[in-house]
Amino acid sequence: MKNIVLVGMMGSGKSTLSHLLCQKTGYVIVDTDELIEKDSQISISEIFELYGEAHFRGLETSLLKHLEVENSIISTGGGMVILDENRNYLKGLGTVFYLKGSITTLMSRLTDQTDHRPLLSKNELKKQLETLLNTREDLYSDVADYTIHIDGKTADDIISEIYTILSDLDYKFIK
Ligand code: S3P
Protein backbone atom coordinates (compact mmCIF):
# COMPACT_ATOMS: atom_id res chain seq x y z
CA MET A 1 0.00 0.00 0.00
CA LYS A 2 1.30 3.44 -0.81
CA ASN A 3 1.08 5.17 2.53
CA ILE A 4 3.77 7.17 4.28
CA VAL A 5 4.59 5.77 7.72
CA LEU A 6 6.49 7.86 10.27
CA VAL A 7 8.18 6.18 13.22
CA GLY A 8 10.53 7.56 15.85
CA MET A 9 10.89 8.58 19.43
CA MET A 10 8.68 11.04 21.23
CA GLY A 11 9.95 14.48 20.20
CA SER A 12 11.20 13.37 16.79
CA GLY A 13 8.59 15.56 15.08
CA LYS A 14 6.16 12.96 13.71
CA SER A 15 3.07 15.12 14.29
CA THR A 16 4.54 18.36 12.95
CA LEU A 17 6.01 16.63 9.91
CA SER A 18 2.81 14.75 9.17
CA HIS A 19 0.93 18.07 9.03
CA LEU A 20 3.50 19.56 6.66
CA LEU A 21 3.50 16.42 4.52
CA CYS A 22 -0.28 16.59 4.41
CA GLN A 23 -0.11 20.15 3.06
CA LYS A 24 2.49 19.15 0.48
CA THR A 25 1.02 15.85 -0.73
CA GLY A 26 -2.71 16.12 -0.06
CA TYR A 27 -2.54 12.80 1.77
CA VAL A 28 -4.70 12.30 4.86
CA ILE A 29 -3.19 12.13 8.35
CA VAL A 30 -3.81 9.00 10.37
CA ASP A 31 -2.46 9.64 13.87
CA THR A 32 -2.50 6.41 15.86
CA ASP A 33 -2.44 8.12 19.27
CA GLU A 34 -5.38 10.32 18.30
CA LEU A 35 -7.37 7.36 16.99
CA ILE A 36 -6.77 5.38 20.15
CA GLU A 37 -7.87 8.32 22.30
CA LYS A 38 -10.95 8.80 20.15
CA ASP A 39 -11.91 5.12 20.31
CA SER A 40 -11.25 4.87 24.04
CA GLN A 41 -12.77 8.26 24.86
CA ILE A 42 -9.96 8.88 27.34
CA SER A 43 -6.44 10.26 27.04
CA ILE A 44 -3.36 8.11 26.58
CA SER A 45 -2.14 9.12 30.03
CA GLU A 46 -5.42 7.85 31.47
CA ILE A 47 -5.14 4.59 29.52
CA PHE A 48 -1.66 4.03 30.98
CA GLU A 49 -2.85 4.98 34.45
CA LEU A 50 -6.02 2.88 34.46
CA TYR A 51 -5.00 -0.16 32.42
CA GLY A 52 -1.21 -0.08 32.10
CA GLU A 53 1.24 0.05 29.21
CA ALA A 54 0.65 -3.53 28.00
CA HIS A 55 -3.01 -2.73 27.45
CA PHE A 56 -2.08 0.37 25.43
CA ARG A 57 0.29 -1.72 23.29
CA GLY A 58 -2.59 -4.11 22.63
CA LEU A 59 -4.74 -1.20 21.48
CA GLU A 60 -1.95 -0.12 19.11
CA THR A 61 -1.77 -3.63 17.62
CA SER A 62 -5.50 -3.90 17.21
CA LEU A 63 -5.62 -0.51 15.48
CA LEU A 64 -2.90 -1.44 13.00
CA LYS A 65 -4.48 -4.81 12.32
CA HIS A 66 -7.71 -3.17 11.22
CA LEU A 67 -6.23 -0.20 9.41
CA GLU A 68 -7.17 -0.13 5.76
CA VAL A 69 -6.04 3.17 4.35
CA GLU A 70 -4.53 4.53 1.15
CA ASN A 71 -2.88 7.85 0.39
CA SER A 72 -2.34 8.43 4.07
CA ILE A 73 0.41 9.64 6.35
CA ILE A 74 0.47 7.30 9.31
CA SER A 75 1.95 9.04 12.33
CA THR A 76 2.69 6.44 14.99
CA GLY A 77 3.21 6.58 18.75
CA GLY A 78 6.89 6.29 19.70
CA GLY A 79 6.50 2.78 21.11
CA MET A 80 4.57 1.34 18.18
CA VAL A 81 7.66 -0.53 16.99
CA ILE A 82 8.15 -2.53 20.19
CA LEU A 83 6.00 -5.51 19.21
CA ASP A 84 7.15 -7.68 16.28
CA GLU A 85 3.57 -7.92 15.10
CA ASN A 86 3.26 -4.14 14.90
CA ARG A 87 6.44 -3.79 12.88
CA ASN A 88 5.10 -6.31 10.38
CA TYR A 89 1.85 -4.40 10.02
CA LEU A 90 3.73 -1.13 9.58
CA LYS A 91 5.91 -2.62 6.84
CA GLY A 92 2.80 -3.72 5.01
CA LEU A 93 1.21 -0.29 5.16
CA GLY A 94 3.72 1.65 3.09
CA THR A 95 7.15 3.23 3.06
CA VAL A 96 8.45 3.57 6.60
CA PHE A 97 10.60 6.56 7.62
CA TYR A 98 12.51 6.51 10.88
CA LEU A 99 12.99 10.07 12.14
CA LYS A 100 16.25 9.66 13.99
CA GLY A 101 17.36 12.28 16.48
CA SER A 102 20.01 12.44 19.19
CA ILE A 103 19.10 12.54 22.86
CA THR A 104 20.08 16.24 22.88
CA THR A 105 17.62 17.04 20.10
CA LEU A 106 14.83 14.99 21.65
CA MET A 107 15.44 16.54 25.07
CA SER A 108 15.32 20.08 23.74
CA ARG A 109 11.88 19.41 22.32
CA LEU A 110 10.44 17.50 25.26
CA THR A 111 11.64 19.46 28.28
CA ASP A 112 8.36 21.34 28.67
CA GLN A 113 6.20 18.54 27.39
CA THR A 114 6.44 15.79 29.95
CA ASP A 115 3.06 16.37 31.61
CA HIS A 116 0.92 14.39 29.19
CA ARG A 117 3.57 11.77 28.48
CA PRO A 118 3.17 8.76 30.75
CA LEU A 119 6.69 7.40 30.20
CA LEU A 120 8.52 10.65 30.89
CA SER A 121 9.08 12.91 33.87
CA LYS A 122 10.79 16.28 33.88
CA ASN A 123 13.48 15.37 36.41
CA GLU A 124 14.63 12.16 34.81
CA LEU A 125 14.06 13.03 31.19
CA LYS A 126 17.58 12.37 29.91
CA LYS A 127 17.91 8.98 31.57
CA GLN A 128 14.43 7.92 30.49
CA LEU A 129 15.03 8.91 26.88
CA GLU A 130 18.38 7.11 26.84
CA THR A 131 16.80 3.92 28.17
CA LEU A 132 13.93 4.06 25.69
CA LEU A 133 16.20 4.84 22.75
CA ASN A 134 18.62 2.03 23.71
CA THR A 135 15.85 -0.53 23.68
CA ARG A 136 14.18 0.83 20.55
CA GLU A 137 16.94 1.96 18.21
CA ASP A 138 17.33 -1.45 16.53
CA LEU A 139 13.57 -1.80 16.22
CA TYR A 140 13.20 1.55 14.47
CA SER A 141 16.03 0.63 12.12
CA ASP A 142 14.53 -2.80 11.52
CA VAL A 143 11.14 -1.47 10.48
CA ALA A 144 12.41 1.51 8.49
CA ASP A 145 12.85 1.61 4.75
CA TYR A 146 14.65 4.93 5.20
CA THR A 147 16.33 6.59 8.16
CA ILE A 148 16.06 10.37 8.13
CA HIS A 149 18.50 12.19 10.40
CA ILE A 150 16.75 15.14 11.99
CA ASP A 151 19.52 16.77 14.05
CA GLY A 152 20.21 20.33 12.96
CA LYS A 153 17.66 20.24 10.15
CA THR A 154 14.54 22.35 9.70
CA ALA A 155 11.16 20.76 9.19
CA ASP A 156 11.29 21.97 5.58
CA ASP A 157 14.65 20.24 5.02
CA ILE A 158 13.22 17.00 6.32
CA ILE A 159 10.04 17.27 4.28
CA SER A 160 12.07 17.87 1.12
CA GLU A 161 14.15 14.76 1.82
CA ILE A 162 11.10 12.61 2.34
CA TYR A 163 9.32 14.10 -0.66
CA THR A 164 12.27 13.38 -2.96
CA ILE A 165 12.42 9.77 -1.83
CA LEU A 166 8.69 9.30 -2.35
CA SER A 167 8.80 10.89 -5.79
CA ASP A 168 11.61 8.50 -6.75
CA LEU A 169 9.43 5.64 -5.54
CA ASP A 170 6.71 6.83 -7.89
CA TYR A 171 4.26 7.95 -5.25
CA LYS A 172 1.47 9.93 -6.87
CA PHE A 173 0.36 12.88 -4.80
CA ILE A 174 -3.05 14.46 -4.64
CA LYS A 175 -1.64 18.01 -4.70
C1 S3P B 1 4.86 6.65 23.58
C2 S3P B 1 4.79 7.72 22.73
C3 S3P B 1 3.59 8.56 22.61
C4 S3P B 1 2.34 7.76 23.01
C5 S3P B 1 2.53 7.14 24.36
C6 S3P B 1 3.73 6.21 24.43
C7 S3P B 1 6.13 5.86 23.64
O1 S3P B 1 3.43 9.02 21.28
O2 S3P B 1 2.05 6.77 22.07
O3 S3P B 1 2.66 8.16 25.29
O4 S3P B 1 6.10 4.74 24.18
O5 S3P B 1 7.16 6.35 23.13
P1 S3P B 1 4.35 10.14 20.58
O6 S3P B 1 5.62 9.48 20.15
O7 S3P B 1 3.53 10.59 19.41
O8 S3P B 1 4.56 11.22 21.57
Side-chain angles (χ1 to χ4, degrees):
M1 277 190 250
K2 286 209 157 172
N3 296 296
I4 307 166
V5 182
L6 302 181
V7 302
M9 288 281 286
M10 291 175 269
S12 60
K14 291 164 291 183
S15 298
T16 308
L17 294 170
S18 56
H19 282 93
L20 292 172
L21 272 171
C22 162
Q23 283 167 22
K24 198 162 164 95
T25 61
Y27 278 24
V28 175
I29 300 175
V30 174
D31 182 312
T32 61
D33 284 345
E34 276 179 19
L35 286 180
I36 289 172
E37 287 187 326
K38 203 169 149 210
D39 284 353
S40 312
Q41 309 247 315
I42 51 175
S43 69
I44 286 173
S45 297
E46 285 167 320
I47 298 174
F48 270 71
E49 211 175 293
L50 293 172
Y51 308 111
E53 180 173 351
H55 177 80
F56 176 72
R57 300 299 169 204
L59 295 178
E60 289 188 312
T61 303
S62 154
L63 186 149
L64 286 187
K65 194 172 176 175
H66 297 107
L67 204 57
E68 282 188 27
V69 291
E70 279 290 350
N71 298 340
S72 295
I73 302 151
I74 302 166
S75 177
T76 60
M80 185 64 98
V81 297
I82 295 173
L83 299 181
D84 296 354
E85 200 179 353
N86 292 5
R87 295 200 303 285
N88 286 332
Y89 287 129
L90 292 174
K91 286 177 190 176
L93 280 165
T95 306
V96 183
F97 293 90
Y98 167 31
L99 304 171
K100 179 175 170 133
S102 64
I103 295 290
T104 311
T105 298
L106 301 175
M107 268 193 71
S108 68
R109 294 169 178 200
L110 291 166
T111 302
D112 296 321
Q113 284 195 34
T114 48
D115 285 356
H116 61 285
R117 295 181 189 273
L119 297 177
L120 300 179
S121 60
K122 204 176 178 116
N123 295 335
E124 290 186 282
L125 185 58
K126 185 161 192 267
K127 209 171 129 219
Q128 289 164 332
L129 285 173
E130 282 168 350
T131 306
L132 289 176
L133 189 55
N134 275 339
T135 54
R136 293 177 181 177
E137 179 74 60
D138 289 349
L139 306 177
Y140 291 129
S141 298
D142 168 66
V143 74
D145 295 297
Y146 297 91
T147 294
I148 307 290
H149 295 268
I150 61 166
D151 292 346
K153 292 182 187 163
T154 64
D156 282 343
D157 293 338
I158 298 168
I159 293 299
S160 301
E161 250 178 78
I162 294 177
Y163 193 85
T164 304
I165 293 170
L166 294 169
S167 303
D168 288 346
L169 293 175
D170 233 15
Y171 269 64
K172 301 279 175 270
F173 301 119
I174 293 161
K175 278 190 177 166

